[in-house]
Amino acid sequence: MNEHRVRFAALFDAEVRPHNERFRAAAAVGPGEDVLDVGCGTGESTREAAKAGATALGIDVSEQAIVKARELGGASFEVADAQTHPFPAAAFDVVLSRFGAMFFADPPAAFANLARALRPGGRLVPLVWQERARNEWYSVLHDALSPGIAPPPSGPHFSLGDRDHTDALLRTAGFGDVEFTELREPVCYGPDSATACEFALGLKDVQELLTGGDGESVARLRDAFAAHETADGVLLGARTWIVTARLSRA
């Protein structure tokens, strides 16, 4: 997945462009702020924070993604696990995470560690997928690759989709003023069905659904993408949450 993430870095960023624009506005990063971007991938959201005048550090567990982020430049990047990394206490004004926070193996430990890294009153702003059943893009993949077969259990990238669960998780870690803003914007899988199919075949969801990699399933997937092809690319319905929270003041 790391190689795929780097190879399709531009498409991964373009995929979620409308969501990212709203996410950036909600984060409202300003000049002079210290920003930590968790699960930064190849660093687009970190660079955007730096362009807003912040001192921005992007972290990711993928060494390949960080190598690419450093090549692209524009901010500082480190290989680090937000769950365990010894961040300086009260070092950041804002913690961002664009589709990264869902993958914590130990969410309570991760959010507690990030709370320690924030200054009192600091902001936490994750962008996360809503529950799987609310996302058309998953249904398109499933129906093309595993028609008539029950989907596997939801993967970790839907782990923060339930509002009540996520609210409780953040409040336990010391955050307050937790708010959820719903976004209903399409995601773009590429300019055409052929690109979309190549892009999708490297995704974990697709690999889980594609049993045996038979040509018939791949053909169905390509046809499904063709049915969603528009002048703006292959667009699939998606729902996300922009979550905003503040670290409670001592």
Side-chain angles (χ1 to χ4, degrees):
M1 181 61 180
N2 290 336
E3 274 185 33
H4 187 73
R5 179 69 179 84
V6 171
R7 179 185 172 200
F8 285 94
L11 184 48
F12 271 102
D13 290 338
E15 176 194 7
V16 296
R17 186 76 64 218
H19 298 261
N20 183 64
E21 289 172 359
R22 295 279 299 277
F23 168 66
R24 185 172 63 246
V29 171
E33 290 193 305
D34 293 307
V35 176
L36 175 66
D37 185 12
V38 175
C40 68
T42 55
E44 183 182 48
S45 49
T46 321
R47 288 187 289 275
E48 289 175 344
K51 287 178 183 177
T55 299
L57 170 64
I59 65 166
D60 201 287
V61 295
S62 168
E63 185 173 353
Q64 289 172 293
I66 292 299
V67 167
K68 181 64 175 180
R70 287 172 174 164
E71 287 177 2
L72 294 169
S76 298
F77 299 96
E78 293 182 14
V79 177
D81 186 340
Q83 299 172 125
T84 58
H85 188 75
F87 299 109
F92 298 98
D93 300 294
V94 189
V95 171
L96 305 176
S97 185
R98 190 184 81 178
F99 298 117
M102 305 96 67
F103 295 99
F104 295 146
D106 187 347
F111 286 115
N113 196 36
L114 294 175
R116 285 190 291 271
L118 271 171
R119 294 175 180 131
R123 311 191 300 282
L124 173 72
V125 189
L127 175 63
V128 304
W129 296 112
Q130 291 189 32
E131 292 160 302
R132 186 173 71 182
R134 294 170 174 255
N135 277 284
E136 180 195 43
W137 61 264
Y138 185 87
S139 299
V140 170
L141 298 177
H142 173 265
D143 292 349
L145 298 173
S146 301
I149 300 174
S154 291
H157 43 307
F158 298 107
S159 65
L160 299 178
D162 182 271
R163 289 181 58 168
D164 292 340
H165 167 76
T166 301
D167 182 273
L169 186 62
L170 296 182
R171 292 184 187 279
T172 298
F175 293 96
D177 300 328
V178 182
E179 296 184 1
F180 294 78
T181 300
E182 180 178 43
L183 301 186
R184 298 187 187 186
E185 296 283 356
V187 289
C188 181
Y189 269 49
D192 51 57
S193 57
T195 303
C197 199
E198 186 180 11
F199 172 66
L201 288 172
L203 302 177
K204 186 176 180 181
D205 282 308
V206 171
Q207 292 169 354
E208 288 177 347
L209 294 170
L210 187 62
T211 54
D214 61 281
E216 185 177 333
S217 296
V218 173
R220 286 198 305 267
L221 181 63
R222 188 177 294 109
D223 290 344
F225 285 143
H228 287 82
E229 200 170 308
T230 74
D232 296 317
V234 177
L235 303 182
L236 307 178
R239 294 190 185 189
T240 58
W241 296 120
I242 295 174
V243 187
T244 56
R246 284 192 179 271
L247 184 66
S248 301
R249 295 182 183 275

